[in-house]
Amino acid sequence: KICFSEVGVDEMLWDDMHKNDMIWPTVSEVYEYRKDVYDIVVDAIMNHPSLDDVSGEGVVVNQDHPMWSLFMGFEHERIHLETSSVLFRETPIEFVQRPKNF
């Protein structure tokens, strides 16, 4: 079994002691995993009854809402994007490349 989603970036020594002992997935395995997660999330957004705006006044998603964890995931992803943008800004420009078709 390959597990890669449990490892984060942490400056603590104890977090890094065994990172090289792990079996890391291939790029295609990560791509398939991300595609599967994307499909599940899109399906939840499009079809979960708690997100239906039956009143026409909008849906409020707060900590008591059944889809709160999904919105926490959005915020978690936003934090990763923010962190990446800082790393890009701190990288010398000659090492930054624009992806093809971006």
Side-chain angles (χ1 to χ4, degrees), residues 41-54 58-61 65-68 70-71 74:
V41 170
V42 168
D43 182 65
I45 293 168
M46 300 302 292
N47 299 309
H48 197 279
S50 71
L51 295 176
D52 290 342
D53 184 11
V54 293
V59 176
V60 176
V61 178
H65 193 279
M67 296 299 275
W68 176 251
L70 183 66
F71 284 75
F74 297 156

Side-chain angles (χ1 to χ4, degrees), residues 52-101:
D52 290 342
D53 184 11
V54 293
S55 68
E57 297 177 11
V59 176
V60 176
V61 178
N62 57 28
Q63 291 179 341
D64 298 322
H65 193 279
M67 296 299 275
W68 176 251
S69 60
L70 183 66
F71 284 75
M72 291 298 295
F74 297 156
E75 176 64 11
H76 185 87
E77 183 70 12
R78 187 197 64 76
I79 291 168
H80 282 290
L81 293 171
E82 182 180 357
T83 302
S84 296
S85 72
V86 170
L87 295 174
F88 288 135
R89 286 194 311 270
E90 292 177 348
T91 301
I93 193 67
E94 62 268 19
F95 297 119
V96 178
Q97 297 178 0
R98 182 182 300 234
K100 187 178 180 178
N101 302 317

Side-chain angles (χ1 to χ4, degrees), residues 8-65:
V9 176
D10 194 330
E11 69 282 357
M12 303 301 291
L13 178 62
W14 59 265
D15 192 40
D16 294 332
M17 292 179 69
H18 299 289
K19 71 179 181 182
N20 293 323
D21 297 339
M22 298 174 61
I23 298 172
W24 291 93
T26 65
V27 171
S28 61
E29 289 170 322
V30 173
Y31 177 82
E32 285 301 315
Y33 171 80
R34 289 177 57 90
K35 182 183 171 305
D36 291 344
V37 171
Y38 178 85
D39 292 343
I40 291 167
V41 170
V42 168
D43 182 65
I45 293 168
M46 300 302 292
N47 299 309
H48 197 279
S50 71
L51 295 176
D52 290 342
D53 184 11
V54 293
S55 68
E57 297 177 11
V59 176
V60 176
V61 178
N62 57 28
Q63 291 179 341
D64 298 322
H65 193 279

